[in-house]
Amino acid sequence: MNKKQLPQQCDVLIIGGGIIGCSIAYHLVKKGMTDVVVLERKQLTCGTTWHAAGLVSMMWPTPTLTEMAKYGHELYASLEAETGQATGYRRTGSLSLARQPERLEELKRTASLTGAFGVEAEMIDNNRLQDLYPGINTDGVIGALYIEKDGQTNPIDTTMALAKGAKMRGAKIFEDVKVEEIIVEEGKAIGAKTQLGDIQAKQVVLTGGMWSRDIAKTIGIDLPLYACEHFYVVTENMPQLTKRPVLRDFDTGVYFKEDAGKMLVGWFESNARGCGMNRIDEDFSFGEFETDMDHIEPYLMAGLETFPEFGDAGIRTFFNGPESFTNDNLHLMGPTPEVDNFWVACGMNSKGIGGGAGVGKLMADWITDGHPSGDVVECDVRRHNTAQRSQSYVEQRIPEALGHTYAMHWPFYQYHSARDIVLSPLHETLQQQQACFGEVGGYERPNWFAREGATPEYVYSYKRQNWFEFYKAEHMAVRESVGLIDMSSFGKFEVCGKDALATLQNLSPANVDVSNGKLVYTQWLNNRGGIEADITILRISEKCFWVTTGVASTYRDWWNLKQNLQGDTQIRDITQDYACVSIQGPNSRETLASVIEADISAEAFAFATGRFASIAGVNCWLHRLSYVGELGWEIFIPAEQASQVYLALQKAGQQFEIANVGLHAVNSLRLEKGFRHWGHDIGPEDNLLQAGLGFVAKPDASDFIGREAFLAQKAEGIPDRRMLQFRLQDPEPLLYHNEPIIMNDKVVGYLTSGMYGHAVGGAIGMGYVQAEGLNAEAISAAKFEIEVAQQRFVADASLRAFYDPKGERMR
């Protein structure tokens, strides 16, 4: 198209002409939004799309992403007929190898999960492996996962087909047009400046690949995105090479893709190399870096070992080019909270071709419908806290995350880089007391405490890890005596002003108009009744409230609050101003009584109430509440005096053998009580009734966001999708999450959370079951099993908690 015809305005402006930008344009016009413009600084596909391996997988880590992947296969198979542009798509299948028992268990767990997500997969032996992949060396291979419907496609051709399909329905695509500035007015993106003039837009979408971080930063948005070097080689033509599946040898880090009689061999190194944008020239397009043979030699040799015929072929291409990655190997998608009408879709983590179709469709749905067509919390651009978006964090963490792509995906795995960035006021005290820390949202938290001279370090396994007995002792201390938990990582917001109550009533389905000192547990909903947040609101005074939320959703919830302020409402993030110590267990009252200057008897200090009081000489806010299901208090302490109060509580609890308790024990304790966790058990695609939280909503008290949707859902009666609790009858297996739920020999869901229930004698979990008539009677009559690594275990199922189902202990 003639560049001089650059329009002055459009409905949607897309910045970046790789597969993601072209896919979004294609899907927008298919939904009828034809006034779409794509601007590409050089040529379509020239950033990283052109050199992608082109793998198209069926199996992704979540149901939504898996549905997106399935859709990608369908679209890529039909694009040529629709557009006349070939894509090179074909279904070849894929093979994943295991060379150690732990990897075999991981693959078996993946095979189980595929069934829950509606993907066919099977574990195969070496005889079948050799049939599917002639010439493979199976020495050391102890099993393989085969997914028959996986495939591959040509990245350039597929992108061109999407671009052509977009233009056929009215989209305009301009090459060699660089965006010089994104125009923002009054907090809204309204267009862009280019060398050909300004273009106004109702919505601006950034799909700039590895340039996206720098572009977004110009308008005050920090995307946790960083480029890394990515390597592969392509052989000369191998006449004897037949068409065969994609092969992943995880334990050596190498993958193989046959393409038109040649072999592409690539890898994900454990020592991946970051690539600062200062290495990317202004004119970089179809560029690449020099290949460091010393760096790649171990992977070349591993490839020769796995597929000896590779060694007999000459190498035509040594490739090294930059690709952009994120710190958790998941995409960055959705509207940015900092700038309205501005969207991002980037951070594809070497999965942009496989995910391109689905990402394009989901983003188009989100832009046109106002919400995504599926649960994408794990990819929502709002999921990262401030610390995780800093330059030092992304430079340190993202190369390690890339290197983890083919590493073992252990339960409870902790990264080594970018640590000790955000510390609890109690960090040094707990470190001295043998805490083993884990990081969530950039925040260091004590996960468990070493005992008896043990080293506070993880030794990973799918079985009982080295800290299992230590955390059992912490768990049972809370159930039987008293424990102290550092919960300082809570996000804490102060909401004050004449209209603070109106702001919180509008957001909250629960009634927040309570007396001073009362606590309210509530969710925040979207207009469809989906759960956007899971929080506690404390009424400190007539015009002042505190909102507390989980560390992983702090940034997201802050922006949700900020964008829904009413009238005279001021908000302040006080997360770092206060430590929070939770004292829980049947002996918590006696422990606390000896150091507090207040009456904390049951009569004087009711459940779900709070007040200021002096503890060990420090003025603190405390309230009676429990996330573990026991008598207990959460104490908010001025940060600089946190250790003083913590040590005083420890001293007071010595007579009861008070225990330090980490977050792993908190997880198992809350699961025994059936308490939900936002981001795992509840999210924007789950409603209150499905989640068993309908009791929270008080639709007669206020006209909250999502009220009409909630009332409509309630009018439908018992939902066909309900959250249930499960306990394995066999005390040996362990549950983590994503294990399939089987009801009467049919897969009906998967676990959203799992842990070991030390007080109930077996592994426990919760998850949504999809079935009609799911009342207590039907659940009791059904046969339930949970599948772990392709083995099914009988499970008890319940709508109520397995531990203290009436909640009498904490009340």
Side-chain angles (χ1 to χ4, degrees), residues 510-521:
N511 183 15
V512 183
D513 191 6
V514 293
S515 57
N516 294 348
K518 284 285 288 181
L519 277 70
V520 177
Y521 170 60

Side-chain angles (χ1 to χ4, degrees), residues 389-448:
R389 292 177 281 116
S390 69
Q391 191 65 26
S392 62
Y393 186 95
V394 300
E395 286 182 5
Q396 294 175 55
R397 173 58 59 81
I398 289 176
E400 184 186 358
L402 164 59
H404 192 59
T405 303
Y406 274 16
M408 286 293 301
H409 298 94
W410 297 115
F412 313 105
Y413 179 78
Q414 299 296 322
Y415 285 102
H416 300 288
S417 60
R419 297 297 298 267
D420 294 342
I421 293 179
V422 184
L423 303 180
S424 159
L426 292 165
H427 184 87
E428 188 174 337
T429 298
L430 300 179
Q431 192 171 42
Q432 292 170 356
Q433 298 184 16
Q434 294 296 93
C436 184
F437 293 94
E439 179 246 334
V440 175
Y443 204 111
E444 297 289 331
R445 311 190 305 169
N447 278 349
W448 55 277

Side-chain angles (χ1 to χ4, degrees), residues 463-522:
K463 309 301 182 186
R464 285 159 172 72
Q465 296 187 11
N466 61 315
W467 47 268
F468 188 86
E469 291 300 321
F470 302 152
Y471 118 94
K472 176 182 178 180
E474 297 169 23
H475 182 114
M476 294 311 298
V478 172
R479 289 284 181 247
E480 297 173 348
S481 185
V482 60
L484 282 178
I485 309 163
D486 179 17
M487 302 295 290
S488 301
S489 61
F490 275 151
K492 313 170 194 76
F493 312 141
E494 184 178 76
V495 185
C496 297
K498 179 171 61 72
D499 297 307
L501 175 62
T503 291
L504 294 174
Q505 284 285 65
N506 177 57
L507 278 165
S508 308
N511 183 15
V512 183
D513 191 6
V514 293
S515 57
N516 294 348
K518 284 285 288 181
L519 277 70
V520 177
Y521 170 60
T522 188

